[in-house]
Amino acid sequence: MRAVRVVVEGIVQGVGFRPYVHRLAVKVGVKGYVRNVGGSEVEIWVEGDGDRVEEFIKLLPEERPPPALIESMQVFEVRPKGFNDFKILPSGKERIRRSMIPPDFAICEHCLREVLDPKDRRYRYAFNSCAWCGPRYSMMLRAPYDRENTAMRKYKLCSECLKEYRDLRNVRRYHAQGISCPKDGPKLYLMTSEGEHLDTRDPIEEAAKLIDEGYLVAVKGLGGFHIAALATDDEVIQKLRERKSRPTKPFAVMGLNIETLSKLVVINSTAEKLLKSPERPIVLLPKKDGSPASPLVSPGMDVEGIFTPYTALHYLLLQSTKDKFLIMTSGNPKGLPMCVNDECVTRYLRNVIDYVLSHDREIVNRVDDSVVRFTRNSPVLLRRGRGYAPRWIKINKELGQEVIALGADLQSAGAVGFEDKVVLTQYIGDLDNPETISELDKYLKFFIENYGIDPGKSVIVVDKHPLYFSRRLGLEYAEKWGVTLLEVQHHYAHALSAAADTGILGEDFAAVVVDGVGYGDDGAIWGGELLQVDSDLRYRRLGHLKYLPIIGDASVERPARFLATALIMALKDEEEAWNIMRSWGADKGLKGGRLEFDALASQLRRGNYVPTSSTGRVLDAFSALLGVRMERTFEGEPAIALEAYSRRGTLVDDIAYSFKASLEGSECVVDTLTPLKQAVFSEDLRKEDIAASIQYGVGYGLGLCLKRYLAGTGIKHVVLSGGAAVNDWIVKGLEDALKEIALSAILPSRVPPNDGGIALGQVAYVIGWGKDLY
């Protein structure tokens, strides 16, 4: 007789793992029990003949349910207790090992088949799910993952569901915590924007009819509300843009299936796999000529953000519409988090939408849709939300203590860290209002509680920027709990994030960080950075884009202002700079015309500006010069539009290779003014070619600088991070420059390279904390 106690961590709660263990135990012929435990882990006790116990241990990771993920199994030899059978025991609240809180899973093919089968008792049931699919994190109140700890606690199983729940042979529903049916589960209803309930036999059919008639309908999904609208009607889309005060930002399109979406975009095999995956992110893909989608869905863009239904509700709604694809955009008031309940919709969206398709299941945790794009033919996360969060990121170094990281202020996500694991919150948003800051606070505290973080023994890590709201929240935490507060330079955190994602912490590496803004060690605004990080995680700045003057936040919102000051710097002649602005039509981006230009020139002469090495501002300036975007209405808009505009461009050598690298003191500086002069005196060239050459040149110039330092150093790794790190032209330029020393740049794959992944780097900083910088 042999007995073992097995503790399993990974995604093992809410995925049918305990039922699987029970069936395996019966199959092999061992006795004992399995139960969920309070740290989201699973504890198993098996005893019996030694060979059978050994077979159980061998088969346990091999035949697990599809969504389950085993990261580690600890096996302890114990004394047999003489169990007579094998059981699933009630969950324990104690924490043996920390494990992963499960993310939400898209509806599986089996559940969808039931929904579409007229003979099935779950026919057209909008909330069908099983052990392998459905909401998890979005409806979870606390660990362990049991029905009583989720939003399903108020729905009592009917006799038929209870029979499935107790049937060991029912692979998908035995002990599945979230199951339900039309008799006992959540209920749908249709309302006006004022909250008046409408009497309708089939809320989904009626909502589809209203959408087809041109109405805007808020739809309650897994992690929040969408606004659904026709994607083929210009008038409807224009109405949506006006009501949402969203003049140009692209909308996402949800389509019934791959066949439907292939009429809109080019879908390769990797993209199709993503669109059919349990994560079901929004994927940015090249538009097809002749697409039935209106150009107003994503004006000026060469890609469309598309995704497939991840709940039965979405599928049934799309199936009932004439087009079989719809705009599905976040149902949020401008600048605020996405609505998760009817009260928010009727209060904040009543003047945006016409009707509401809702239900009575609570959304406990708001989770936005994840977004993926392709950079140099590889998928890269832009927004980490539903399907990915809150999976932890396992890093290749022990932290040594527990960490709470606040992230940055744009596209924010915070994190907690312990052992060799970092748990990032889902995408939170921009922290420019109290509501979003409150969301960051809420989800950090959710992880602190559910992962057993002791705040009084933790370290708080924040961005170095003195005005960041995330930093202020970190200061509150540090004062409240009486713990150490660490400040980390923004681009250094980006570099550490990419290294942690890649698994190279503890090795010497170089980093290229290209973004819009970050507070520099010298008080300047950094954003086009070359860093070297050693095995002790000490860093030094190797180089950067040339400092250019930025005058006020208005120069970020209206990039023609930044262009004007750059031209004055480049040409050293204010009148000539003004004439260039006029000849290219860029003066239209100055609301005050010549008076505003002269005011900027005056400020420049007086030295009333902040120096910046921002890649984002350089790209914005060229976007304004070429007439692509004169105003930024959403984060990164001018640069994103510039990349789209240049997609069919070809390189012009005189511009692409004019980003010369030179030493200024101990740092290598990439010249951005010479390329600007080259561009403005090249009016005979195609603007698309100029755009392509400028973006390529930024990457190539930074690569040239990096070559100066890396040749002969033995450094084998170069990581790439920052919001502009996904730009195809920049990455190509960087790779071409690094080819000569047989290096390539590695982008993160598990977190976004933008500020949504920066908290990972802040946590990783603690590994080298206390070691002197260069």
Side-chain angles (χ1 to χ4, degrees):
M1 173 75 73
R2 181 189 176 194
V4 296
R5 177 171 169 264
V6 184
V7 178
V8 187
E9 67 176 68
I11 300 179
V12 289
Q13 290 192 15
V15 291
F17 190 73
R18 289 177 304 163
Y20 155 68
V21 170
H22 191 176
R23 283 190 296 273
L24 180 62
V26 171
K27 172 184 171 182
V28 174
V30 292
K31 315 297 184 184
Y33 66 81
V34 61
R35 64 173 185 151
N36 282 341
V37 201
S40 293
E41 74 277 44
V42 166
E43 180 190 35
I44 306 167
W45 183 293
V46 290
E47 57 184 48
D49 178 79
D51 289 343
R52 293 186 179 188
V53 171
E54 192 62 37
E55 183 182 5
F56 177 89
I57 296 170
K58 176 179 177 294
L59 292 176
L60 184 60
E62 295 178 3
E63 300 179 3
R64 64 188 184 278
L69 173 67
I70 296 176
E71 285 219 339
S72 75
M73 281 173 44
Q74 290 185 304
V75 180
F76 304 95
E77 298 291 335
V78 290
R79 289 185 178 182
K81 292 185 176 181
F83 287 101
N84 295 319
D85 56 12
F86 195 95
K87 291 181 178 180
I88 297 179
L89 295 184
S91 298
K93 293 183 178 179
E94 71 274 23
R95 184 178 295 106
I96 303 170
R97 292 275 300 172
R98 295 175 171 117
S99 193
M100 264 190 271
I101 293 170
D104 298 309
F105 301 104
I107 186 169
C108 68
E109 58 179 319
H110 309 285
C111 283
L112 185 58
R113 192 180 302 123
E114 293 168 346
V115 171
L116 301 179
D117 182 359
K119 297 179 181 179
D120 195 281
R121 73 186 189 92
R122 291 185 171 89
Y123 176 58
R124 292 188 62 77
Y125 181 52
F127 306 97
N128 198 22
S129 70
C130 69
W132 297 351
C133 71
R136 296 296 189 272
Y137 175 56
S138 62
M139 68 174 189
M140 188 171 174
L141 294 162
R142 66 189 68 85
Y145 183 82
D146 291 325
R147 193 179 184 93
E148 66 192 44
N149 293 333
T150 74
M152 292 299 292
R153 66 196 186 283
K154 70 177 183 179
Y155 304 103
K156 186 177 180 181
L157 293 178
C158 70
S159 59
E160 291 174 284
C161 285
L162 195 58
K163 183 179 178 181
E164 293 172 331
Y165 183 83
R166 292 172 174 170
D167 183 2
L168 176 63
R169 296 165 299 178
N170 193 318
V171 175
R172 291 171 35 245
R173 293 203 166 92
Y174 175 56
H175 266 268
Q177 301 302 304
I179 64 170
S180 62
C181 74
K183 291 182 181 178
D184 59 23
K187 300 293 185 275
L188 279 170
Y189 49 87
L190 190 65
M191 303 189 301
T192 67
S193 61
E194 303 288 331
E196 178 187 350
H197 283 247
L198 301 177
D199 185 14
T200 175
R201 181 184 62 82
D202 190 332
I204 294 177
E205 286 281 359
E206 188 61 31
K209 180 181 176 184
L210 290 166
I211 293 168
D212 280 345
E213 291 173 358
Y215 292 103
L216 307 181
V217 178
V219 180
K220 188 176 183 180
L222 279 187
F225 277 84
H226 286 116
I227 297 176
L230 289 173
T232 53
D233 190 309
D234 290 356
E235 289 186 14
V236 170
I237 299 169
Q238 190 57 43
K239 175 173 65 175
L240 175 60
R241 290 201 173 280
E242 289 171 0
R243 290 185 183 181
K244 279 208 82 180
S245 300
R246 184 169 166 165
T248 57
K249 188 175 182 179
F251 294 125
V253 174
M254 181 183 282
L256 186 66
N257 48 37
I258 299 296
E259 182 183 1
T260 300
L261 290 170
S262 64
K263 299 173 184 175
L264 282 66
V265 295
V266 178
I267 303 175
N268 61 30
S269 59
T270 306
E272 182 172 346
K273 187 176 179 181
L274 283 166
L275 292 166
K276 291 180 176 179
S277 70
E279 293 82 12
R280 301 276 169 94
I282 296 169
V283 184
L284 307 185
L285 293 171
K287 293 180 182 178
K288 266 191 176 176
D289 292 337
S291 166
S294 164
L296 295 181
V297 173
S298 52
M301 299 297 166
D302 65 327
V303 293
E304 204 82 87
I306 55 108
F307 59 144
T308 53
Y310 49 85
T311 70
L313 171 58
H314 291 116
Y315 190 95
L316 293 169
L317 180 65
L318 289 164
Q319 187 184 51
S320 301
T321 62
K322 61 184 180 183
D323 293 332
K324 304 297 185 281
F325 63 91
L326 296 170
I327 286 173
M328 280 282 182
T329 190
S330 296
N332 65 297
K334 186 175 176 62
L336 296 179
M338 180 171 56
C339 285
V340 295
N341 54 49
D342 294 350
E343 180 185 4
C344 174
V345 172
T346 55
R347 180 180 180 185
Y348 292 110
L349 298 180
R350 63 194 302 172
N351 295 321
V352 177
I353 48 96
D354 303 303
Y355 294 93
V356 186
L357 177 61
S358 192
H359 56 78
D360 63 1
R361 185 176 66 202
E362 178 187 4
I363 296 174
V364 178
N365 298 311
R366 178 177 67 86
V367 194
D368 290 74
D369 296 318
S370 297
V371 182
V372 172
R373 69 160 278 168
F374 282 81
T375 296
R376 305 291 290 156
N377 301 316
S378 295
V380 182
L381 274 168
L382 295 183
R383 187 166 74 195
R384 189 174 182 270
R386 175 189 49 78
Y388 295 92
R391 291 173 184 261
W392 65 35
I393 308 294
K394 201 166 184 179
I395 60 178
N396 66 315
K397 286 281 185 180
E398 287 281 338
L399 292 169
Q401 65 182 105
E402 294 172 349
V403 187
I404 301 168
L406 280 292
D409 270 20
L410 298 177
Q411 305 175 57
S412 180
V416 298
F418 49 86
E419 301 161 8
D420 59 347
K421 302 166 184 77
V422 183
V423 185
L424 275 78
T425 69
Q426 68 274 35
Y427 165 85
I428 300 295
D430 296 347
L431 303 184
D432 52 4
N433 58 75
E435 290 84 356
T436 313
I437 297 168
S438 177
E439 289 280 286
L440 176 62
D441 178 49
K442 170 186 173 180
Y443 292 112
L444 281 173
K445 287 178 177 174
F446 178 88
F447 291 137
I448 288 168
E449 178 182 352
N450 282 280
Y451 280 108
I453 305 295
D454 184 347
K457 295 180 180 178
S458 65
V459 172
I460 309 297
V461 190
V462 298
D463 193 278
K464 195 174 185 177
H465 198 302
L467 300 181
Y468 269 8
F469 293 108
S470 55
R471 183 177 183 275
R472 296 179 191 179
L473 182 59
L475 280 168
E476 290 178 20
Y477 284 180
E479 291 173 6
K480 177 181 178 181
W481 295 320
V483 295
T484 300
L485 179 85
L486 303 176
E487 298 178 333
V488 186
Q489 200 281 322
H490 188 85
H491 301 94
Y492 175 38
H494 266 304
L496 292 176
S497 175
D501 181 283
T502 309
I504 58 170
L505 293 171
E507 299 182 49
D508 290 357
F509 69 91
V512 180
V513 186
V514 281
D515 65 359
V517 58
Y519 187 76
D521 291 333
D522 57 0
I525 300 299
W526 290 7
E529 308 305 311
L530 301 174
L531 305 177
Q532 181 182 346
V533 182
D534 71 10
S535 58
D536 290 326
L537 301 192
R538 298 174 303 178
Y539 83 103
R540 63 170 176 156
R541 192 187 195 194
L542 299 178
H544 55 87
L545 295 183
K546 185 177 181 64
Y547 280 146
L548 297 178
I550 186 166
I551 300 173
D553 290 341
S555 293
V556 177
E557 304 303 323
R558 293 186 284 121
R561 288 170 53 93
F562 187 77
L563 172 64
T565 52
L567 278 171
I568 295 171
M569 291 278 290
L571 302 174
K572 304 188 187 315
D573 186 319
E574 293 175 17
E575 196 61 33
E576 185 180 13
W578 171 248
N579 289 333
I580 290 289
M581 292 282 290
R582 291 185 61 195
S583 68
W584 282 83
D587 60 313
K588 296 173 184 174
L590 299 178
K591 291 184 177 180
R594 181 63 191 256
L595 287 176
E596 184 173 4
F597 178 88
D598 288 343
L600 290 168
S602 175
Q603 295 277 57
L604 192 58
R605 288 194 300 271
R606 296 175 185 176
N608 292 334
Y609 60 83
V610 177
T612 180
S613 57
S614 167
T615 301
R617 300 295 77 78
V618 171
L619 300 180
D620 289 357
F622 280 96
S623 190
L625 175 72
L626 300 172
V628 178
R629 285 289 192 275
M630 293 292 184
E631 187 176 0
R632 188 185 78 158
T633 65
F634 62 90
E635 176 65 24
E637 178 181 6
I640 293 168
L642 184 70
E643 184 186 13
Y645 181 74
S646 66
R647 196 76 71 178
R648 295 182 182 178
T650 56
L651 295 182
V652 178
D653 288 357
D654 287 348
I655 298 175
Y657 300 107
S658 62
F659 288 77
K660 303 300 183 183
S662 60
L663 283 176
E664 293 186 12
S666 61
E667 296 176 347
C668 181
V669 176
V670 179
D671 177 20
T672 52
L673 293 182
T674 299
L676 178 59
K677 287 189 287 186
Q678 289 282 92
V680 298
F681 294 118
S682 301
E683 291 179 297
D684 56 326
L685 296 176
R686 290 197 321 146
K687 289 183 177 181
E688 294 93 332
D689 297 342
I690 295 174
S693 302
I694 288 298
Q695 293 165 94
Y696 176 92
V698 168
Y700 191 80
L702 288 168
L704 289 180
C705 260
L706 205 53
K707 279 170 57 179
R708 287 176 176 260
Y709 290 97
L710 298 189
T713 63
I715 288 178
K716 300 176 182 178
H717 307 290
V718 177
V719 297
L720 178 59
S721 189
V726 296
N727 182 297
D728 271 317
W729 283 114
I730 291 177
V731 177
K732 177 172 171 51
L734 178 63
E735 288 181 341
D736 285 353
L738 293 178
K739 276 180 187 176
E740 296 177 23
I741 53 173
L743 288 174
S744 61
I746 308 167
L747 272 165
S749 61
R750 296 182 290 174
V751 298
N754 57 39
D755 285 3
I758 208 167
L760 174 60
Q762 291 176 341
V763 172
Y765 169 75
V766 173
I767 298 168
W769 172 40
K771 297 170 183 174
D772 293 333
L773 302 181
Y774 279 103

